[in-house]
């Protein structure tokens, strides 16, 4: 019963909770074998019966079954992480493993030994580690706004994130969670603006996403930059103003996190 209870104790829906199903997915992929025992051995011998659909997905992964990921955003997120861990073990391409590490924040144990001496791979690991919580400061998982919107089926075509850049990446990069959110709520066109109040090497928006804008700092011109970006840089004489604070009033329809 003890082993079964351990697997079934990961029922929290909060991905930041140490007892969430996402945490269990992380653990079973990071520590696949210990002292000659695998998770498959433990689950089989302990007759573990999953008590939630989230845990069932992970048990299916342990037994090498095809997992179903089209039920809820949380299950889709778990499924994509498990799939990323599986791809990492089979990966032979440096750029692909770098992408998997960056998007899913894989640990050293997820990375095949053939890549462990690769400088390019460790560079990505270094940047990833900068996302972790700074001592004495509270960090934020910037994927949370997209998870929140997806779980409530809220449709936003403009999202502005204001951050002090002290972030904790959680189990999925915000850019990847944004992509999932857009698919889930069926939004074709969107604008993501991330305003970092401090400068560091961490990029929240995907650098190849033409619908995303990273801004460092905030002054009287920032609202104008955001407005022009949202309007696809189309000039509109009626929107010109000598009052720099007018742009703040026009942003009332933008959802701020």
């Amino acid at each position: 019963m003890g082993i079964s209870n351990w697997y079934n104790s990961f029922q929290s829906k909060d991905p930041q909770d140490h007892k969430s199903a996402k945490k269990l997915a992380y653990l079973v992929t990071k520590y696949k074998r210990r002292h000659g025992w695998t998770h498959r051995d433990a689950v089989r011998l302990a007759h573990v019966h999953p008590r939630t659909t989230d845990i069932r997905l992970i048990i299916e992964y342990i037994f090498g079954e095809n997992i179903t990921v089209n039920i809820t955003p949380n299950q889709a997120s778990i499924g994509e992480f498990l799939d990323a861990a599986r791809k990492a073990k089979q990966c032979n391409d440096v750029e692909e493993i770098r992408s998997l590490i960056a998007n899913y924040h894989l640990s050293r144990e997820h990375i095949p030994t053939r890549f462990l001496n690769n400088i390019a791979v460790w560079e990505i690991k270094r940047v990833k580690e900068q996302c972790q919580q700074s001592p004495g400061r509270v960090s934020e998982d910037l994927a949370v706004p997209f998870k929140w919107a997806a779980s409530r089926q809220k449709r936003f075509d403009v999202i502005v994130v204001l951050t002090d850049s002290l972030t904790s990446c959680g189990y999925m990069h915000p850019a990847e969670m944004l992509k999932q959110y857009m698919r889930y709520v069926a939004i074709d066109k969107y604008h993501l603006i991330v305003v970092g109040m401090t400068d560091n090497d961490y990029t929240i928006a995907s650098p190849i996403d033409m619908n995303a804008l990273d801004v460092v700092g905030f002054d009287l011109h920032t609202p104008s930059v955001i407005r022009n970006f949202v309007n696809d840089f189309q000039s509109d004489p009626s929107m010109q103003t000598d009052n720099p604070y007018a742009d703040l009033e026009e942003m009332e329809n933008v959802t701020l996190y």
Side-chain angles (χ1 to χ4, degrees):
M1 287 294 293
I3 294 176
S4 180
N5 287 338
W6 183 83
Y7 283 98
N8 281 301
S9 66
F10 293 86
Q11 297 190 30
S12 173
K13 296 295 184 181
D14 181 359
Q16 300 305 308
D17 194 324
H18 74 288
K19 281 296 185 179
S20 69
K22 289 291 291 291
K23 182 65 173 181
L24 178 61
Y26 180 82
L27 292 174
V28 301
T29 54
K30 180 178 181 179
Y31 306 108
K32 301 193 73 171
R33 179 187 296 269
R34 283 294 183 270
H35 305 293
W37 294 87
T38 66
H39 285 281
R40 183 172 183 171
D41 296 330
V43 170
R44 179 173 53 83
L45 293 174
H47 302 288
V48 177
H49 297 286
R51 297 171 190 163
T52 70
T53 52
D54 291 353
I55 296 174
R56 181 178 297 279
L57 291 179
I58 299 168
I59 299 299
E60 290 175 353
Y61 170 86
I62 290 173
F63 280 89
E65 300 176 10
N66 292 325
I67 57 179
T68 305
V69 296
N70 60 350
I71 303 175
T72 68
N74 191 52
Q75 290 171 17
S77 178
I78 294 171
E80 289 208 12
F81 177 82
L82 294 173
D83 188 53
R86 179 184 290 143
K87 287 180 179 178
K89 287 301 181 184
Q90 302 170 351
C91 181
N92 291 303
D93 181 74
V94 171
E95 289 306 314
E96 182 181 2
I97 195 68
R98 279 166 55 92
S99 176
L100 290 170
I101 293 170
N103 288 330
Y104 297 96
H105 310 287
L106 303 182
S107 70
R108 180 185 181 279
E109 289 80 0
H110 289 115
I111 303 171
T113 54
R114 55 185 170 274
F115 291 119
L116 293 181
N117 292 325
N118 189 292
I119 296 177
V121 171
W122 282 106
E123 179 186 7
I124 288 293
K125 288 288 293 175
R126 179 185 63 81
V127 173
K128 169 187 170 286
E129 289 167 358
Q130 291 179 349
C131 300
Q132 302 305 313
Q133 182 170 339
S134 300
R137 296 293 298 275
V138 176
S139 64
E140 298 178 351
D141 179 2
L142 293 182
V144 167
F146 311 126
K147 297 174 186 175
W148 178 89
S151 65
R152 291 162 176 78
Q153 297 187 3
K154 300 286 187 179
R155 303 181 82 253
F156 300 114
D157 56 0
V158 176
I159 300 175
V160 179
V161 178
L162 307 178
T163 175
D164 60 3
S165 300
L166 294 174
T167 62
S168 174
C169 300
Y171 297 100
M172 182 172 292
H173 194 280
E176 184 63 26
M177 191 62 223
L178 171 64
K179 185 169 64 175
Q180 279 196 19
Y181 164 64
M182 293 303 168
R183 286 202 305 262
Y184 187 71
V185 298
I187 294 179
D188 295 327
K189 188 174 182 180
Y190 65 91
H191 291 85
L192 169 66
I193 301 96
V194 180
V195 182
M197 302 305 179
T198 59
D199 186 18
N200 63 14
D201 294 332
Y202 179 52
T203 300
I204 297 167
S206 171
I208 62 173
D209 188 350
M210 298 301 294
N211 295 315
L213 174 68
D214 276 321
V215 179
V216 178
F218 195 102
D219 61 17
L220 294 180
H221 300 288
T222 304
S224 295
V225 172
I226 295 174
R227 182 195 63 188
N228 291 335
F229 178 72
V230 170
N231 286 286
D232 296 324
F233 302 99
Q234 296 177 0
S235 60
D236 184 351
S238 66
M239 299 181 68
Q240 302 300 320
T241 177
D242 295 329
N243 178 12
Y245 294 99
D247 292 318
L248 293 173
E249 299 172 0
E250 293 175 3
M251 290 173 60
E252 62 181 3
N253 293 324
V254 176
T255 300
L256 299 178
Y257 288 97

